[in-house]
Amino acid sequence: MRFLIGVPCLFLFGLCAPAQLVSRDAPSPGKRVVIAADTALDGKGGALRKTRIIIEGSKIVAIDPKVKPIDYDLRGLTVLPGWIDAHVHITSSFGKDGKSVGGDGTTHEDAFRHASNAWATLMAGFTTVQSMGSPGELALRNAIANGSLPGPRILTAVGALSGRGEQTGTAEEIRAFVRKQKEAGADLIKIYAAGGFNASEMTLSQEQLNAACDEAKKLGLRTLVHAFREAVCAATLAGCTQIEHGVGATDEDLKIVAEKGTYLDPQAGLLWENYLLNAKKFAGTPFFPKTIEGFAPMKDLPPVSQEFLRRAAKIPGLKIVFGTDALSGMHGRNAEEFIHHVRDCGVDPMAAMISANSLAAEALGMTGQIGSIAPGLDADIIALDGDPRKDITAVRRVAFVMKGGIVYKNAARNAIPVFADVQP
């Protein structure tokens, strides 16, 4: 087999969260919790006014404006479903020497950094993330799922299929790779069908893409494809689930993406901002320029990404989901991408919220579980000090975080704790 794949590594330890912010106990099946809200965005484009959300155990069971008593009074804040980031690298971090170590580290120190990333992400209001595969993600996913660690719900690719032309393998070898990821516990298949932002050629053929996406579909797995230019249309025609990045695709390509119901996950600025801010830490590490000076051309890339998102937003029926590509330096700052979408690309604020709520849940195949405030769904609820429909910077001021009925953050108004160097 000729693939670039990682080997999962298990580690067993917990992370103690600040007692005033988190309850580590699982919600009791019969215990009722009532949240009062003046304004609650339902995750689908609607708004509930002066109501109360009733939770039993881990689920929302009813919406009733008259129920008493109130356990959490969030009146004066904007309540909405926990956000979903459809593209992160949750184990990517800066190592002991300050340099980016990607997500490949498997030492005890690496594991604590991974847990810290998860905690910062949860505190920023992201209750579910989709991570693109690296050693340790399975263990982190499972530790959070069983309550050993606080963090967002994680879906992981375990290891990625990295296109290298013919050297990638035959169609049957690619199918075998996909089956191997399924056996390893992958929730999705990540595919690299193109090189970097400025690379012009596809790294997988149409036949190879067809094999990967078809095999995944047979196994009930979704496929997320790193694609630029002609790779966008090729991945769409192969029946893949979601396009990552997509820059360079023409309007005609995007119309095909919309017609096929394929999801698009573009980025609008936070990624490039992070590279430039932390150029010294990325310089000389794999896939990055060797010197700080080599990062200078990246200053020209945000306008290109933003122009692409502006075009994509005008394509009728195109399903644009929220994803940050969060890696070293970005965990806990994910919501800054909302600001780039709205301020720099003209995306409607409510559309931006939906892209990280119900639409993202749909893309993950989890519509019946997360992404909306409605009876029967998981009690993933956050609250902002401010209204993002009027002031998108309110996404920085997350005052309340509940995931699966457990409250992890409940801060006083005008005293939002600072996490991951993000100022309220």
Side-chain angles (χ1 to χ4, degrees):
M1 298 297 290
R2 302 186 291 272
F3 303 104
L4 301 180
I5 52 178
V7 179
C9 176
L10 299 178
F11 32 74
L12 302 173
F13 30 72
L15 178 69
C16 294
Q20 71 272 22
L21 294 179
V22 58
S23 169
R24 293 291 302 280
D25 296 328
S28 302
K31 183 180 179 182
R32 188 181 75 166
V33 173
V34 176
I35 294 174
D38 284 333
T39 301
L41 307 184
D42 66 5
K44 296 181 178 181
L48 307 171
R49 298 287 298 169
K50 298 186 182 302
T51 195
R52 295 170 191 180
I53 304 164
I54 301 96
I55 296 149
E56 290 185 4
S58 64
K59 300 289 185 179
I60 299 170
V61 295
I63 308 293
D64 184 344
K66 298 180 180 180
V67 71
K68 295 180 181 180
I70 295 169
D71 297 284
Y72 295 97
D73 189 348
L74 303 184
R75 288 173 289 192
L77 303 174
T78 301
V79 175
L80 63 161
W83 288 318
I84 301 164
D85 192 330
H87 186 147
V88 304
H89 299 267
I90 195 68
T91 58
S92 175
S93 57
F94 296 122
K96 289 189 296 183
D97 61 356
K99 291 287 188 178
S100 176
V101 293
D104 296 336
T106 55
T107 68
H108 288 183
E109 290 179 346
D110 292 321
F112 282 121
R113 283 194 292 270
H114 301 167
S116 178
N117 292 345
W119 172 249
T121 302
L122 181 64
M123 290 297 96
F126 289 83
T127 52
T128 301
V129 299
Q130 189 162 238
S131 202
M132 296 300 109
S134 75
E137 282 188 5
L138 276 173
L140 184 62
R141 178 195 70 181
N142 296 342
I144 292 171
N146 67 29
S148 299
L149 290 174
R153 187 180 295 102
I154 295 175
L155 281 70
T156 175
V158 182
L161 171 62
S162 297
R164 293 185 291 155
E166 291 184 0
Q167 294 182 11
T168 312
T170 65
E172 188 47 49
E173 286 178 315
I174 288 172
R175 289 178 181 275
F177 171 81
V178 173
R179 292 193 293 271
K180 184 175 181 180
Q181 299 313 294
K182 172 74 171 182
E183 293 169 1
D187 301 300
L188 58 123
I189 300 296
K190 175 65 184 297
I191 301 168
Y192 287 89
F197 191 88
N198 292 317
S200 59
E201 296 182 356
M202 290 175 54
T203 57
L204 288 171
S205 68
Q206 187 69 60
E207 181 186 10
Q208 290 171 323
L209 273 170
N210 292 347
C213 295
D214 180 66
E215 190 65 27
K217 188 175 294 185
K218 288 179 178 178
L219 297 172
L221 294 176
R222 294 168 299 108
T223 42
L224 279 68
V225 185
H226 170 103
F228 298 102
R229 286 163 290 281
E230 69 266 28
V232 171
C233 189
T236 301
L237 295 176
C240 302
T241 310
Q242 184 168 307
I243 303 298
E244 304 303 314
H245 317 305
V247 173
T250 66
D251 285 358
E252 290 305 312
D253 292 332
L254 293 176
K255 289 176 183 178
I256 294 173
V257 174
E259 290 170 4
K260 296 291 185 181
T262 306
Y263 300 91
L264 176 67
D265 173 23
Q267 288 72 49
L270 178 59
L271 182 64
W272 306 118
E273 180 183 278
N274 182 63
Y275 286 151
L276 292 168
L277 179 66
N278 294 295
K280 185 176 181 181
K281 298 178 179 180
F282 285 107
T285 62
F287 310 113
F288 290 97
K290 293 182 180 181
T291 65
I292 295 177
E293 291 72 23
F295 285 76
M298 288 187 184
K299 294 179 181 178
D300 299 326
L301 299 182
V304 177
S305 296
Q306 290 160 9
E307 186 275 335
F308 174 71
L309 179 52
R310 280 193 291 269
R311 281 198 296 114
K314 296 177 182 178
I315 302 297
L318 184 57
K319 298 179 179 180
I320 301 175
V321 298
F322 181 87
T324 62
D325 205 355
L327 39 67
S328 310
M330 293 171 66
H331 305 296
R333 300 180 60 231
N334 313 57
E336 292 293 302
E337 182 71 7
F338 285 123
I339 298 173
H340 287 289
H341 282 219
V342 173
R343 182 192 64 197
D344 302 329
C345 302
V347 173
D348 177 76
M350 182 64 91
M353 296 299 100
I354 294 170
S355 74
N357 285 149
S358 60
L359 187 58
E362 179 187 304
L364 270 58
M366 301 179 71
T367 298
Q369 183 178 348
I370 59 174
S372 303
I373 294 179
L377 273 64
D378 282 8
D380 289 4
I381 296 171
I382 65 174
L384 310 180
D385 188 359
D387 188 336
R389 298 171 299 176
K390 301 174 183 177
D391 173 15
I392 193 59
T393 66
V395 298
R396 294 171 173 162
R397 301 186 293 276
V398 178
F400 179 88
V401 176
M402 169 186 278
K403 184 192 119 189
I406 301 175
V407 175
Y408 290 89
K409 183 179 183 181
N410 187 21
R413 292 166 180 76
N414 302 315
I416 310 303
V418 176
F419 291 95
D421 299 322
V422 178
Q423 297 296 328

Coordinates of all heavy atoms in Angstrom, one line a residue, residues 2-6 87-90 92 102-104 130-134 137 157-169 174 177-178 188-197 199 201-206 208-209 212-213 223-228 231-232 234-235 240 242-245 267 271 275 286-288 325-327:
R2 N 0.5 2.3 -0.8 CA 1.3 3.4 -0.9 C 0.5 4.7 -0.5 O 0.2 5.5 -1.3 CB 1.8 3.5 -2.4 CG 2.5 2.3 -2.9 CD 3.1 2.5 -4.3 NE 2.0 2.5 -5.3 CZ 1.6 1.5 -5.9 NH1 2.0 0.3 -5.6 NH2 0.6 1.6 -6.8
F3 N 0.3 4.8 0.8 CA -0.5 5.9 1.2 C 0.2 6.6 2.4 O 0.9 6.0 3.2 CB -1.9 5.5 1.7 CG -2.7 4.7 0.6 CD1 -2.8 3.3 0.7 CD2 -3.2 5.4 -0.4 CE1 -3.5 2.7 -0.3 CE2 -3.9 4.8 -1.4 CZ -4.1 3.4 -1.3
L4 N -0.1 7.9 2.6 CA 0.4 8.6 3.7 C -0.7 8.5 4.8 O -1.7 9.3 4.8 CB 0.6 10.1 3.4 CG 1.6 10.3 2.2 CD1 1.8 11.8 2.0 CD2 3.0 9.7 2.6
I5 N -0.5 7.7 5.7 CA -1.5 7.5 6.8 C -0.8 7.4 8.1 O 0.3 7.1 8.3 CB -2.3 6.2 6.6 CG1 -1.4 5.0 6.4 CG2 -3.2 6.3 5.4 CD1 -2.2 3.7 6.2
G6 N -1.6 7.8 9.2 CA -1.0 7.8 10.5 C -1.5 6.6 11.3 O -2.5 6.0 11.0
H87 N -14.3 21.6 9.8 CA -12.9 21.3 9.4 C -11.9 21.8 10.4 O -11.6 23.0 10.4 CB -12.7 21.9 8.0 CG -11.3 21.5 7.4 ND1 -11.2 21.4 6.0 CD2 -10.1 21.3 8.0 CE1 -9.9 21.1 5.8 NE2 -9.2 21.0 6.9
V88 N -11.4 20.9 11.2 CA -10.3 21.3 12.2 C -9.2 20.2 12.1 O -9.4 19.1 11.6 CB -10.9 21.4 13.6 CG1 -12.0 22.4 13.7 CG2 -11.3 20.1 14.2
H89 N -8.1 20.6 12.8 CA -7.1 19.6 13.0 C -6.8 19.7 14.5 O -5.9 20.4 15.0 CB -5.8 20.0 12.2 CG -6.0 19.9 10.7 ND1 -5.7 18.8 10.0 CD2 -6.5 20.9 9.9 CE1 -6.0 19.1 8.7 NE2 -6.5 20.3 8.6
I90 N -7.6 19.0 15.3 CA -7.8 19.2 16.7 C -6.5 18.9 17.5 O -6.3 19.4 18.6 CB -9.0 18.4 17.3 CG1 -9.3 18.9 18.7 CG2 -8.7 16.9 17.3 CD1 -9.9 20.3 18.7
S92 N -3.4 19.4 16.3 CA -2.3 20.3 15.8 C -2.0 21.3 16.8 O -2.9 22.0 17.3 CB -2.7 20.9 14.5 OG -1.7 21.8 14.0
G102 N 2.2 19.9 14.0 CA 1.1 19.2 13.3 C 0.3 18.5 14.3 O 0.1 18.9 15.5
G103 N -0.2 17.3 13.9 CA -1.0 16.5 14.8 C -0.4 15.1 15.0 O -1.0 14.2 15.5
D104 N 0.9 15.0 14.8 CA 1.6 13.7 14.8 C 2.1 13.3 16.1 O 2.5 12.2 16.3 CB 2.7 13.7 13.8 CG 2.2 13.8 12.3 OD1 1.0 13.5 12.1 OD2 3.0 14.3 11.5
Q130 N -15.3 18.5 13.3 CA -14.9 17.4 12.4 C -13.4 17.5 12.1 O -13.0 18.5 11.5 CB -15.7 17.5 11.1 CG -15.6 16.4 10.2 CD -16.8 16.4 9.1 OE1 -17.5 15.5 9.1 NE2 -16.9 17.5 8.4
S131 N -12.6 16.5 12.6 CA -11.2 16.7 12.5 C -10.6 15.8 11.4 O -11.1 14.6 11.1 CB -10.5 16.3 13.8 OG -9.3 16.8 13.9
M132 N -9.6 16.2 10.7 CA -9.2 15.7 9.4 C -8.2 14.5 9.5 O -7.7 14.0 8.5 CB -8.6 16.8 8.5 CG -9.6 17.8 8.1 SD -11.0 17.2 7.2 CE -12.3 17.3 8.5
G133 N -7.9 14.0 10.7 CA -7.1 12.8 10.8 C -5.7 12.9 11.2 O -4.9 13.6 10.6
S134 N -5.3 12.3 12.3 CA -3.9 12.3 12.8 C -3.9 11.3 14.0 O -4.9 10.9 14.5 CB -3.5 13.7 13.3 OG -4.1 13.9 14.6
E137 N -6.2 11.2 17.5 CA -7.6 11.7 17.4 C -8.6 10.7 17.9 O -9.6 11.1 18.5 CB -7.9 12.1 16.0 CG -7.3 13.5 15.6 CD -7.8 14.0 14.2 OE1 -8.7 13.3 13.6 OE2 -7.3 15.0 13.8
A157 N -11.2 11.6 10.8 CA -10.9 10.8 9.6 C -9.8 9.8 9.9 O -9.5 8.9 9.0 CB -10.4 11.8 8.5
V158 N -9.2 9.8 11.1 CA -8.2 8.9 11.5 C -6.9 9.1 10.6 O -5.9 9.6 11.1 CB -8.6 7.4 11.4 CG1 -7.4 6.5 11.9 CG2 -9.8 7.1 12.3
G159 N -6.9 8.8 9.4 CA -5.8 9.0 8.5 C -6.3 9.5 7.1 O -7.4 9.1 6.7
A160 N -5.6 10.3 6.4 CA -6.0 10.8 5.1 C -5.4 10.1 3.9 O -4.3 9.6 4.0 CB -5.7 12.3 5.0
L161 N -6.2 10.1 2.8 CA -5.7 9.5 1.5 C -5.1 10.7 0.8 O -5.7 11.6 0.4 CB -6.9 9.0 0.7 CG -6.6 8.6 -0.7 CD1 -5.6 7.5 -0.8 CD2 -7.9 8.2 -1.4
S162 N -3.7 10.7 0.7 CA -3.0 11.7 0.1 C -2.7 11.4 -1.3 O -1.9 10.5 -1.6 CB -1.7 12.0 0.9 OG -1.9 12.4 2.2
G163 N -3.2 12.2 -2.2 CA -3.0 11.9 -3.7 C -1.6 12.2 -4.1 O -1.1 13.2 -3.8
R164 N -1.0 11.2 -4.8 CA 0.3 11.3 -5.4 C 0.3 10.7 -6.8 O 1.3 10.0 -7.2 CB 1.3 10.6 -4.5 CG 1.5 11.3 -3.1 CD 2.6 10.6 -2.3 NE 2.2 9.3 -1.9 CZ 3.1 8.3 -1.7 NH1 4.4 8.5 -1.8 NH2 2.7 7.1 -1.3
G165 N -0.7 11.0 -7.5 CA -0.8 10.5 -8.9 C -0.9 9.0 -8.9 O -1.5 8.4 -8.1
E166 N -0.2 8.4 -9.8 CA -0.2 6.9 -10.0 C 0.4 6.3 -8.8 O 0.0 5.1 -8.4 CB 0.6 6.5 -11.2 CG -0.1 6.9 -12.5 CD 0.6 6.4 -13.7 OE1 1.7 5.7 -13.5 OE2 0.2 6.6 -14.9
Q167 N 1.3 6.9 -8.1 CA 1.9 6.3 -6.9 C 0.9 6.2 -5.7 O 1.2 5.4 -4.8 CB 3.1 7.2 -6.4 CG 4.2 7.2 -7.4 CD 5.4 8.0 -6.9 OE1 5.4 8.4 -5.7 NE2 6.4 8.3 -7.7
T168 N -0.2 6.8 -5.8 CA -1.2 6.7 -4.8 C -1.7 5.3 -4.7 O -2.0 4.8 -3.6 CB -2.4 7.7 -5.0 OG1 -1.9 8.9 -5.3 CG2 -3.3 7.7 -3.8
G169 N -1.9 4.6 -5.8 CA -2.3 3.2 -5.8 C -3.4 3.1 -6.9 O -4.0 4.0 -7.5
I174 N -7.0 1.7 -3.5 CA -7.7 2.9 -2.8 C -8.9 2.4 -2.1 O -9.2 2.8 -0.9 CB -8.0 3.9 -3.9 CG1 -6.7 4.6 -4.3 CG2 -9.0 5.0 -3.3 CD1 -6.9 5.6 -5.4
F177 N -7.8 0.9 1.1 CA -7.5 1.9 2.1 C -8.7 2.4 2.8 O -8.7 2.6 4.0 CB -6.7 3.1 1.4 CG -6.5 4.3 2.3 CD1 -5.5 4.3 3.2 CD2 -7.4 5.3 2.2 CE1 -5.3 5.4 4.0 CE2 -7.2 6.4 3.0 CZ -6.2 6.5 3.9
V178 N -9.7 2.7 2.0 CA -11.0 3.2 2.6 C -11.5 2.2 3.6 O -12.0 2.6 4.7 CB -12.0 3.6 1.5 CG1 -13.3 3.9 2.1 CG2 -11.5 4.7 0.6
L188 N -15.3 9.5 8.9 CA -15.3 10.0 7.6 C -14.0 9.7 6.9 O -13.0 9.3 7.5 CB -15.5 11.6 7.7 CG -14.4 12.3 8.5 CD1 -13.7 13.4 7.6 CD2 -15.0 12.9 9.7
I189 N -13.9 10.0 5.6 CA -12.7 9.8 4.8 C -12.3 11.1 4.3 O -13.0 11.8 3.6 CB -13.0 8.8 3.6 CG1 -13.4 7.4 4.1 CG2 -11.7 8.7 2.8 CD1 -12.5 6.7 5.0
K190 N -11.0 11.5 4.6 CA -10.4 12.7 4.1 C -9.6 12.4 2.9 O -8.7 11.5 2.9 CB -9.6 13.4 5.2 CG -8.8 14.7 4.7 CD -9.8 15.8 4.3 CE -9.0 17.0 3.7 NZ -8.1 17.6 4.6
I191 N -9.7 13.1 1.8 CA -9.0 12.9 0.6 C -8.3 14.2 0.1 O -9.0 15.2 0.0 CB -10.0 12.4 -0.5 CG1 -10.7 11.1 -0.1 CG2 -9.3 12.2 -1.9 CD1 -11.9 10.7 -1.0
Y192 N -7.0 14.1 -0.3 CA -6.3 15.2 -0.9 C -6.3 14.9 -2.4 O -5.5 14.1 -2.9 CB -4.9 15.3 -0.3 CG -4.9 15.8 1.1 CD1 -5.0 14.9 2.2 CD2 -4.8 17.2 1.4 CE1 -5.0 15.4 3.5 CE2 -4.8 17.7 2.7 CZ -4.9 16.8 3.7 OH -4.8 17.2 5.0
A193 N -7.1 15.7 -3.1 CA -7.2 15.5 -4.6 C -6.4 16.6 -5.3 O -6.4 16.7 -6.5 CB -8.6 15.5 -5.0
A194 N -5.8 17.5 -4.5 CA -5.0 18.6 -5.1 C -3.9 18.9 -4.2 O -3.8 18.5 -3.0 CB -5.9 19.8 -5.4
G195 N -2.9 19.7 -4.7 CA -1.8 20.1 -3.8 C -2.2 21.3 -3.0 O -3.3 21.5 -2.5
G196 N -1.3 22.3 -2.9 CA -1.5 23.5 -2.1 C -2.3 24.5 -2.8 O -2.8 24.3 -3.9
F197 N -2.5 25.7 -2.1 CA -3.4 26.7 -2.6 C -3.0 27.2 -4.1 O -3.9 27.4 -4.9 CB -3.2 27.9 -1.7 CG -4.2 29.0 -1.9 CD1 -5.4 29.0 -1.2 CD2 -3.9 30.1 -2.7 CE1 -6.4 30.0 -1.4 CE2 -4.9 31.1 -2.9 CZ -6.1 31.1 -2.2
A199 N -1.1 25.3 -6.2 CA -0.8 24.1 -7.1 C -1.9 24.0 -8.2 O -3.0 24.3 -8.0 CB -0.8 22.8 -6.3
E201 N -2.2 21.3 -10.6 CA -2.7 20.0 -11.1 C -3.3 19.2 -10.0 O -3.0 19.3 -8.8 CB -1.4 19.2 -11.6 CG -0.8 19.9 -12.8 CD 0.4 19.1 -13.4 OE1 0.7 18.1 -12.7 OE2 0.9 19.5 -14.4
M202 N -4.2 18.3 -10.4 CA -4.9 17.3 -9.5 C -3.9 16.3 -9.1 O -2.9 16.0 -9.9 CB -6.1 16.7 -10.2 CG -7.2 17.6 -10.4 SD -8.6 16.8 -11.4 CE -8.9 15.3 -10.4
T203 N -4.0 15.8 -7.9 CA -3.1 14.7 -7.5 C -3.7 13.3 -7.5 O -3.1 12.4 -7.1 CB -2.6 15.0 -6.0 OG1 -3.7 15.2 -5.2 CG2 -1.8 16.3 -6.0
L204 N -5.0 13.3 -7.8 CA -5.7 12.0 -8.0 C -6.4 12.1 -9.4 O -6.9 13.2 -9.8 CB -6.7 11.8 -6.9 CG -6.2 11.4 -5.5 CD1 -7.4 11.4 -4.5 CD2 -5.5 10.1 -5.5
S205 N -6.5 11.0 -10.0 CA -7.3 11.0 -11.3 C -8.8 10.8 -11.0 O -9.2 10.5 -9.9 CB -6.9 9.8 -12.1 OG -7.3 8.6 -11.5
Q206 N -9.6 11.1 -12.0 CA -11.0 10.9 -11.9 C -11.4 9.5 -11.4 O -12.2 9.2 -10.6 CB -11.8 11.2 -13.2 CG -13.3 11.2 -13.0 CD -13.8 12.4 -12.2 OE1 -13.6 13.6 -12.5 NE2 -14.5 12.1 -11.1
Q208 N -9.5 7.4 -9.7 CA -9.1 7.2 -8.3 C -10.1 7.9 -7.4 O -10.5 7.3 -6.4 CB -7.7 7.8 -8.1 CG -6.6 7.0 -8.7 CD -5.3 7.7 -8.7 OE1 -5.2 8.9 -8.8 NE2 -4.2 6.9 -8.5
L209 N -10.6 9.1 -7.7 CA -11.6 9.7 -6.9 C -12.9 8.9 -6.9 O -13.5 8.8 -5.9 CB -11.8 11.1 -7.5 CG -10.9 12.3 -6.9 CD1 -11.2 13.5 -7.8 CD2 -11.2 12.5 -5.5
A212 N -12.5 6.0 -4.5 CA -12.5 6.4 -3.1 C -13.9 6.8 -2.6 O -14.4 6.3 -1.5 CB -11.5 7.5 -2.8
C213 N -14.6 7.6 -3.3 CA -15.9 8.1 -2.9 C -17.0 7.0 -3.0 O -17.8 6.9 -2.1 CB -16.3 9.3 -3.7 SG -15.2 10.7 -3.4
T223 N -17.3 11.6 2.5 CA -16.0 11.9 1.9 C -15.8 13.4 1.9 O -16.6 14.1 1.3 CB -15.8 11.3 0.5 OG1 -17.0 11.4 -0.2 CG2 -15.4 9.8 0.6
L224 N -14.7 13.9 2.4 CA -14.3 15.3 2.4 C -13.1 15.4 1.6 O -12.0 14.8 1.9 CB -14.1 15.8 3.8 CG -15.4 16.2 4.6 CD1 -16.2 15.0 4.9 CD2 -15.0 17.0 5.8
V225 N -13.1 16.3 0.5 CA -12.0 16.3 -0.5 C -11.4 17.7 -0.5 O -12.0 18.7 -0.8 CB -12.5 16.0 -1.9 CG1 -11.4 15.9 -2.9 CG2 -13.3 14.7 -1.9
H226 N -10.1 17.7 -0.2 CA -9.2 18.9 -0.3 C -9.1 19.1 -1.8 O -8.5 18.3 -2.5 CB -7.9 18.6 0.4 CG -6.8 19.6 0.1 ND1 -6.4 20.5 1.1 CD2 -6.0 19.8 -0.9 CE1 -5.4 21.3 0.6 NE2 -5.2 20.9 -0.6
A227 N -9.7 20.2 -2.3 CA -9.7 20.4 -3.8 C -9.7 21.9 -4.1 O -10.3 22.7 -3.5 CB -11.0 19.8 -4.3
F228 N -8.9 22.2 -5.2 CA -8.9 23.5 -5.8 C -9.1 23.3 -7.3 O -8.9 22.2 -7.9 CB -7.5 24.1 -5.6 CG -7.2 24.4 -4.2 CD1 -6.3 23.5 -3.5 CD2 -7.7 25.4 -3.5 CE1 -6.0 23.8 -2.2 CE2 -7.4 25.7 -2.1 CZ -6.5 24.8 -1.5
A231 N -10.2 20.1 -9.6 CA -10.4 19.0 -8.7 C -11.8 19.2 -8.0 O -12.4 18.2 -7.5 CB -9.3 19.0 -7.6
V232 N -12.3 20.4 -7.9 CA -13.6 20.7 -7.3 C -14.7 19.9 -8.1 O -15.5 19.2 -7.5 CB -13.9 22.2 -7.2 CG1 -15.4 22.4 -6.8 CG2 -12.9 22.9 -6.3
A234 N -14.2 17.6 -10.3 CA -13.9 16.1 -10.4 C -14.5 15.4 -9.1 O -15.1 14.3 -9.2 CB -12.4 15.9 -10.5
A235 N -14.2 16.0 -8.0 CA -14.7 15.4 -6.7 C -16.2 15.4 -6.6 O -16.8 14.4 -6.2 CB -14.1 16.1 -5.5
C240 N -18.5 12.6 -4.2 CA -18.0 12.9 -2.8 C -18.9 13.8 -2.1 O -19.7 14.6 -2.7 CB -16.6 13.5 -2.9 SG -15.4 12.5 -3.8
Q242 N -18.3 16.4 0.4 CA -18.0 17.8 0.7 C -16.6 18.2 0.1 O -15.7 17.5 0.2 CB -17.9 17.9 2.3 CG -17.7 19.3 2.8 CD -18.0 19.4 4.3 OE1 -19.0 19.0 4.8 NE2 -17.0 19.9 5.0
I243 N -16.6 19.5 -0.4 CA -15.4 20.0 -0.9 C -14.8 21.0 0.1 O -15.4 21.9 0.6 CB -15.7 20.9 -2.2 CG1 -16.4 20.0 -3.2 CG2 -14.4 21.5 -2.8 CD1 -15.6 18.8 -3.8
E244 N -13.5 20.7 0.4 CA -12.8 21.6 1.3 C -12.0 22.6 0.5 O -11.3 22.3 -0.4 CB -11.8 20.8 2.2 CG -12.5 19.7 3.0 CD -13.6 20.2 3.9 OE1 -13.4 21.2 4.6 OE2 -14.7 19.6 3.8
H245 N -12.1 23.9 0.9 CA -11.4 25.1 0.3 C -12.1 25.5 -1.0 O -12.9 26.4 -1.1 CB -9.9 24.8 0.1 CG -9.3 24.1 1.3 ND1 -9.4 24.7 2.5 CD2 -8.6 23.0 1.4 CE1 -8.7 23.9 3.4 NE2 -8.3 22.8 2.7
Q267 N -12.8 28.8 3.3 CA -12.2 29.7 4.4 C -12.0 31.1 3.9 O -11.7 31.3 2.7 CB -10.9 29.1 4.9 CG -11.1 27.8 5.7 CD -11.4 26.6 4.9 OE1 -10.7 26.4 3.9 NE2 -12.4 25.9 5.2
L271 N -7.4 31.5 8.6 CA -6.3 30.6 8.4 C -5.0 31.4 8.0 O -3.9 31.2 8.5 CB -6.6 29.6 7.3 CG -5.6 28.5 6.9 CD1 -5.3 27.6 8.1 CD2 -6.0 27.7 5.7
Y275 N -1.4 32.0 10.0 CA 0.0 31.7 9.4 C 0.9 32.9 9.5 O 2.1 32.8 9.9 CB -0.2 31.3 7.9 CG -0.7 29.9 7.7 CD1 -1.4 29.6 6.5 CD2 -0.5 28.9 8.6 CE1 -1.9 28.4 6.3 CE2 -1.0 27.6 8.4 CZ -1.7 27.4 7.2 OH -2.2 26.1 7.0
P286 N 7.3 21.0 8.2 CA 6.9 20.4 7.0 C 5.7 21.1 6.3 O 4.8 21.6 7.0 CB 6.4 19.0 7.4 CG 7.3 18.7 8.6 CD 7.4 20.0 9.3
F287 N 5.8 21.3 5.0 CA 4.8 21.9 4.2 C 4.8 23.4 4.3 O 3.9 24.1 3.6 CB 3.4 21.4 4.5 CG 3.3 19.9 4.5 CD1 3.0 19.2 5.7 CD2 3.5 19.1 3.4 CE1 3.0 17.8 5.7 CE2 3.4 17.8 3.4 CZ 3.2 17.1 4.6
F288 N 5.7 24.1 5.0 CA 5.7 25.5 5.2 C 7.1 26.1 4.7 O 8.1 25.4 4.6 CB 5.5 25.9 6.6 CG 4.1 25.7 7.1 CD1 3.8 24.5 7.8 CD2 3.1 26.6 6.8 CE1 2.5 24.3 8.2 CE2 1.8 26.3 7.2 CZ 1.5 25.2 7.9
D325 N -10.5 25.1 9.3 CA -9.2 24.5 9.1 C -8.3 24.7 10.3 O -7.1 24.9 10.2 CB -8.5 25.0 7.8 CG -7.5 24.0 7.2 OD1 -7.2 23.0 7.9 OD2 -6.9 24.3 6.2
A326 N -8.9 24.8 11.5 CA -8.2 25.2 12.7 C -7.0 24.3 13.0 O -7.2 23.0 13.1 CB -9.2 25.2 13.9
L327 N -5.9 24.8 13.2 CA -4.7 24.1 13.5 C -3.9 24.9 14.6 O -4.5 25.7 15.2 CB -3.8 23.8 12.3 CG -3.7 24.8 11.1 CD1 -2.9 26.0 11.6 CD2 -3.1 24.2 9.9

